[in-house]
Amino acid sequence: MNAYTDVSFFPRNAKPLNSYRKYWAARFGTAPFLPMSRDEMQQLGWDSCDIIIVTGDAYVDHPSFGMAVIGRMLENQGFRVGIIAQPDWQSADPFKALGKPNLFFGVTAGNMDSMINRYTADRKIRSDDAYTPGDVGGKRPDRAALVYSQRCKEAYSDVPIVLGGIEGSLRRIAHYDYWSDKVRRSIVVDSKCDLLLYGNAERAIVEIAHRLAAKEPVQQITDVRGTAFVRRETPEGWYEIDSSSIDIPGRVEAHVNPYLMVSEQAKAQGQSCAREDEAQAVADAANGPAAQATVVPLNFVPNPNMPALQGKGKLKVPPRDRSVIRLPSYDHVKSDPVLYAHANRVLHLETNPGNARCLVQSHGEGVTARDVWINPPPIPLTTAEMDLVFDLPYARSPHPAYADDKGGHDGVTKIPAWEMIRFSVNIMRGCFGGCTFCSITEHEGRIIQSRSEDSVIREIEDIRDKVSGFTGVISDLGGPTANMYRIGCKSPEIEAACRKPSCVYPGICQNLNTDHSSLIHMYRRARALKGVKKILIGSGLRYDLAVKSPEYVKELVTHHVGGYLKIAPEHTEGGPLSKMMKPGIGSYDKFKQMFDRFSAEAGKKQFLVPYFIAAHPGTRDEDMMNLALWLKKNGFRADQVQTFYPSPMATATAMYHSGKDPLSRVTRTSEAVDIVRGERRRRLHKAFLRYHDANNWPLLREALKAMGRADLIGNGKHHLIPTFQPLTDGGYTSARRKNSTATPKLGASKAGVAKSSMRQEPTQGRVLTQHTGLPPRKKK
């Protein structure tokens, strides 16, 4: 059995989701839709709701929408669940629409961080919202999780608030906020919620619901994985590891160093996926980083637990399940960007559910001081549990309350995010890519959780038989990454011990299984189903994994590409790629050769659509110039481009804020990262990606001259931009409005490219699929 289907190698093996005794309200049965009004509650025979979910998204009863997954999962446990979707937040009255919940309010900003949903990477207000009927913007407040929590407390002050969703996940500790350009407190403190659930929360929400139903006070629920809460002090019996400063005096044992890259068990067995990183961390500690750091006063406080941990002059390892790492306080990271980078690094090294320790971060000083306590991540779902989640009785459509005759399908007002995933199927969760601009790992985790093939086939058959408008084309079989299905570490023991942020950078780990046979078999079985004409792959592809399986590439190219396949090299230059933790452009070239060869063998004209990020940390102006030259050489013209978006808690965001690289040990003298700040420089990097747009030529000419590359200005084929042309300079506007990347050398039609290559918004900083519940890429 592979690690992705067996959680026995993880500590404190979790209680299966289907093993709880159902709550008494299960007698009411299954609702066609979770109710959004008192009338619907009465039709179901309910006098009250046990749990009410408040969400910033329109209610779509589909497994790609968080409120539907959590709501149906709680219903499966026997609870009566109501939905308040996109309420008017100007008063508490809309939050009383379903009455007082018996157990708790579940609050989420929706499938997106509300600030990313509302603002572009240039901090401009969006006019649209893919998760709102009619694609209308402004239907949720800024920092929706905070506002909704406040209104719930105003409505019913004695009802516990359980906060979740991606906005909560990415703001669980003190975090840099791009929109206010400052470090904000943990959302646990600001929202005054009783519990924060981060990551995929099925396991945590089910346990919490049953414990609250058993009359256990919410203040006593402090041992659930994947939760965060406020407490005043570290409980008795816990060993606190102080990582509140990077200035460590003298020698520090590697096993209590928060930068340690492998567990004690794996070290004893000589098994390490990151031995070089560990050795460097020990060497840095032994050499005394304080000697290289700015001298600061040190306050030595005796640890009452230390005598119990010492023996024969050596420091023994404290038990991980009773260890907590103290991060630098909010007040310190707010005023010290280097400490912020350090805290970010420690947090990311404590994300493997197999060996992660609790984290604690102080907020406030003196009598007002409070600790935000973050428990280790949830235990991954088994394949059987994944099947349970996705086999729940979803209606697979928006709630009838959105019925209208203005566009959309079946009289339902168009909800773009729903339209995109209507005929697609999510086959897995998680990503071990570790891209620094992406927050999938922080939210879903790096361990792949896969559904069974039978469960996926059942969903395809349900779409075929029950979803109106189906034409025989499944738009996607994917997830955060299209080709990580059933891929994981060859050794479950090593997987539970490894602390590397990526399994595929700087190269593919020797312990990683890259077998695509299960995915190939699923593709073939799915496309053989009666009534299914085509299975397309719309999720982003990890091409450095794909080239390890030529059979997979051939299957993909021959049967599952609709003319264009999107992939995301993100850049061509080593500097920015190293800060993104993305493979070199050589991997793209290798995949392109295979793609072209198999397309020719299939007798098809098909094209790759590569996507790139401008202004990412570590990107010099020369890097963007070289990328522009590569684009011109290969005949690509990007109509819509993505500028780096510093999303909360991402590693690249820590680089952006601090100017340091948390991918390696953070010190005061660490090498500085080139950060692209300021409207003009960000606009320049974006202009290099759109070198063909006449509106950008004056800016590019000025920049190229300043860089000493005026030789790239001219009217020849080897020039990047033309010399001054008074009739066209600054007066050209692209006729195309769709998100697309054209390949004019290959003769692709503009309309075809625009339709086939719609790119999704990298709401957490990267190319994401609709199945993570994140929005499509929007017009900028």
Side-chain angles (χ1 to χ4, degrees):
M1 182 176 290
N2 292 324
Y4 55 81
T5 59
D6 185 357
V7 297
S8 63
F9 294 101
F10 293 104
R12 297 171 59 195
N13 200 15
K15 186 175 181 179
L17 290 176
N18 61 356
S19 64
Y20 290 84
R21 181 179 180 181
K22 295 200 177 209
Y23 191 59
W24 68 267
R27 68 186 66 176
F28 288 102
T30 301
F33 284 88
L34 301 178
M36 293 179 63
S37 67
R38 290 290 187 97
D39 288 342
E40 291 175 76
M41 291 170 56
Q42 292 176 359
Q43 292 172 18
L44 294 170
W46 300 2
D47 61 346
S48 62
C49 291
D50 300 309
I51 298 156
I52 295 176
I53 297 175
V54 181
T55 175
D57 294 336
Y59 171 31
V60 179
D61 199 46
H62 186 281
S64 286
F65 288 75
M67 88 293 285
V69 172
I70 295 301
R72 289 297 187 182
M73 191 71 246
L74 289 168
E75 180 190 56
N76 177 265
Q77 300 293 317
F79 299 102
R80 294 168 293 178
V81 183
I83 301 284
I84 298 179
Q86 298 187 317
D88 182 354
W89 65 91
Q90 302 302 325
S91 74
D93 290 340
F95 296 79
K96 301 177 182 178
L98 302 181
K100 183 178 180 179
N102 301 321
L103 298 180
F104 64 87
F105 275 113
V107 175
T108 173
N111 279 9
M112 291 182 67
D113 183 284
S114 59
M115 300 301 287
I116 296 175
N117 175 276
R118 184 63 169 148
Y119 299 93
T120 70
D122 297 323
R123 298 189 180 96
K124 296 179 180 178
I125 295 178
R126 302 183 192 273
S127 61
D128 52 2
D129 182 348
Y131 289 91
T132 298
D135 199 19
V136 178
K139 292 297 184 180
R140 76 188 83 205
D142 291 353
R143 313 190 194 284
L146 304 183
V147 177
Y148 291 161
S149 296
Q150 177 184 346
R151 291 293 184 241
C152 287
K153 278 295 184 186
E154 290 177 11
Y156 303 105
S157 60
D158 58 337
V159 175
I161 294 178
V162 178
L163 183 63
I166 199 160
E167 183 164 304
S169 281
L170 302 187
R171 297 173 182 269
R172 58 187 184 261
I173 66 167
H175 55 279
Y176 173 72
D177 183 82
Y178 174 63
W179 303 271
S180 58
D181 193 25
K182 68 179 183 180
V183 175
R184 291 180 63 94
R185 300 186 299 183
S186 165
I187 198 170
V188 179
V189 174
D190 283 345
S191 69
K192 298 180 175 61
C193 65
D194 294 279
L195 280 173
L196 166 68
L197 274 55
Y198 68 89
N200 293 118
E202 293 94 348
R203 203 181 289 288
I205 198 72
V206 166
E207 180 178 350
I208 290 167
H210 281 289
R211 290 171 68 170
L212 289 175
K215 307 301 183 183
E216 182 175 352
V218 68
Q219 294 79 13
Q220 295 181 14
I221 303 177
T222 59
D223 58 343
V224 179
R225 296 178 68 104
T227 62
F229 48 88
V230 170
R231 67 178 5 153
R232 292 291 179 180
E233 57 188 14
T234 302
E236 184 178 354
W238 283 82
Y239 301 106
E240 187 172 293
I241 301 172
D242 187 2
S243 189
S244 59
S245 173
I246 62 172
D247 303 318
I248 305 171
R251 185 173 185 274
V252 176
E253 295 293 338
H255 52 248
V256 296
N257 185 339
Y259 291 142
L260 186 64
M261 301 299 287
V262 65
S263 75
E264 295 75 31
Q265 176 188 7
K267 183 179 179 183
Q269 298 171 343
Q271 298 168 335
S272 171
C273 288
R275 195 165 295 141
E276 296 82 0
D277 290 338
E278 178 183 336
Q280 184 60 50
V282 175
D284 289 346
N287 292 332
Q292 305 172 9
T294 302
V295 177
V296 296
L298 296 176
N299 182 21
F300 293 93
V301 179
N303 187 340
N305 296 316
M306 294 310 290
L309 297 177
Q310 291 176 349
K312 296 183 179 180
K314 292 185 178 180
L315 193 62
K316 292 185 178 179
V317 179
R320 282 187 175 271
D321 61 349
R322 303 297 292 176
S323 297
V324 58
I325 298 177
R326 180 164 292 278
L327 300 173
S329 70
Y330 161 70
D331 291 301
H332 287 159
V333 299
K334 176 180 67 173
S335 58
D336 189 340
V338 178
L339 274 181
Y340 180 91
H342 165 77
N344 182 272
R345 174 169 170 79
V346 174
L347 180 140
H348 281 83
L349 290 176
E350 298 295 331
T351 55
N352 184 346
N355 62 17
R357 292 164 286 196
C358 295
L359 301 173
V360 64
Q361 185 177 52
S362 176
H363 285 64
E365 296 180 349
V367 295
T368 63
R370 291 166 290 176
D371 282 346
V372 174
W373 184 284
I374 304 173
N375 282 330
I379 300 298
L381 298 185
T382 64
T383 293
E385 289 174 317
M386 284 285 287
D387 288 353
L388 171 63
V389 170
F390 283 90
D391 289 347
L392 293 171
Y394 303 100
R396 301 191 67 85
S397 67
H399 190 278
Y402 305 118
D404 199 343
D405 57 359
K406 297 179 181 179
H409 296 281
D410 305 321
V412 177
T413 300
K414 184 176 182 180
I415 302 174
W418 150 243
E419 300 286 337
M420 173 169 281
I421 53 87
R422 194 176 186 205
F423 304 119
S424 64
V425 179
N426 190 2
I427 63 176
M428 46 75 71
R429 282 181 182 168
C431 180
F432 49 73
C435 300
T436 61
F437 50 79
C438 171
S439 298
I440 290 178
T441 299
E442 287 93 324
H443 185 64
E444 294 196 3
R446 67 175 185 175
I447 295 180
I448 303 303
Q449 302 156 74
S450 301
R451 299 169 63 183
S452 70
E453 183 179 291
D454 287 343
S455 175
V456 173
I457 295 300
R458 283 196 300 270
E459 184 170 352
I460 295 174
E461 291 174 334
D462 278 348
I463 293 174
R464 178 195 63 191
D465 300 337
K466 301 176 183 178
V467 179
S468 63
F470 181 62
T471 61
V473 179
I474 296 294
S475 59
D476 190 20
L477 285 185
T481 303
N483 61 320
M484 287 187 182
Y485 179 75
R486 293 192 178 275
I487 290 181
C489 193
K490 296 175 183 176
S491 166
E493 294 91 343
I494 293 178
E495 182 174 57
C498 180
R499 291 156 64 80
K500 286 186 65 177
S502 173
C503 299
V504 289
Y505 182 86
I508 295 178
C509 178
Q510 62 181 357
N511 293 315
L512 185 68
N513 160 41
T514 59
D515 182 13
H516 286 63
S517 59
S518 295
L519 189 55
I520 295 170
H521 188 270
M522 180 192 292
Y523 285 177
R524 291 172 177 170
R525 183 177 171 189
R527 62 185 170 86
L529 289 174
K530 183 179 179 180
V532 175
K533 299 176 183 177
K534 186 87 172 175
I535 301 285
L536 295 174
I537 304 304
S539 299
L541 188 77
R542 191 78 196 200
Y543 53 85
D544 51 345
L545 274 181
V547 296
K548 297 293 183 180
S549 176
E551 183 184 9
Y552 170 75
V553 179
K554 184 173 183 178
E555 169 72 19
L556 175 75
V557 171
T558 304
H559 300 286
H560 304 285
V561 175
Y564 297 88
L565 179 69
K566 62 181 183 182
I567 57 175
E570 307 297 3
H571 217 286
T572 59
E573 305 305 295
L577 287 174
S578 68
K579 298 301 181 284
M580 298 176 185
M581 287 211 303
K582 291 285 289 186
I585 199 65
S587 294
Y588 166 85
D589 294 334
K590 185 175 181 180
F591 179 78
K592 184 178 186 303
Q593 291 174 5
M594 298 175 69
F595 181 90
D596 291 342
R597 175 162 61 90
F598 290 131
S599 292
E601 290 178 4
K604 297 182 176 182
K605 287 186 176 181
Q606 300 181 141
F607 310 106
L608 290 177
V609 182
Y611 297 134
F612 301 92
I613 292 179
H616 190 278
T619 307
R620 305 170 304 153
D621 297 350
E622 290 78 9
D623 293 326
M624 292 307 301
M625 178 190 70
N626 290 332
L627 173 54
L629 292 171
W630 184 93
L631 289 171
K632 182 167 186 178
K633 177 182 177 182
N634 288 275
F636 289 110
R637 290 188 172 189
D639 267 8
Q640 303 281 335
V641 299
Q642 178 59 40
T643 308
F644 170 67
Y645 207 147
S647 59
M649 216 173 83
T651 300
T653 301
M655 296 182 196
Y656 179 87
H657 173 60
S658 69
K660 300 292 184 180
D661 183 3
L663 295 177
S664 56
R665 183 177 179 83
V666 178
T667 69
R668 301 283 174 188
T669 57
S670 295
E671 180 182 358
V673 178
D674 189 355
I675 305 301
V676 185
R677 288 196 178 91
E679 180 181 353
R680 186 183 184 284
R681 194 171 178 216
R682 284 172 66 86
R683 187 160 55 90
L684 172 62
H685 281 215
K686 191 173 181 179
F688 271 119
L689 282 181
R690 286 184 49 78
Y691 64 91
H692 55 281
D693 187 339
N695 291 311
N696 295 324
W697 291 344
L699 176 62
L700 290 175
R701 285 196 198 97
E702 181 182 346
L704 289 173
K705 291 176 182 177
M707 295 163 63
R709 294 306 308 270
D711 58 298
L712 295 177
I713 304 171
N715 299 322
K717 291 184 177 181
H718 62 284
H719 295 115
L720 181 63
I721 57 173
T723 53
F724 179 67
Q725 299 177 9
L727 295 180
T728 58
D729 263 23
Y732 172 77
T733 301
S734 174
R736 285 188 282 181
R737 289 290 178 262
K738 296 292 184 181
N739 294 330
S740 64
T741 303
T743 51
K745 283 188 175 180
L746 300 174
S749 71
K750 293 183 179 181
V753 174
K755 182 177 180 180
S756 301
S757 62
M758 184 168 61
R759 185 181 185 187
Q760 297 205 330
E761 182 70 25
T763 58
Q764 309 317 321
R766 81 163 249 103
V767 182
L768 295 177
T769 73
Q770 57 267 37
H771 300 298
T772 60
L774 297 167
R777 290 198 185 252
K778 300 179 181 130
K779 295 176 286 187
K780 303 294 186 291

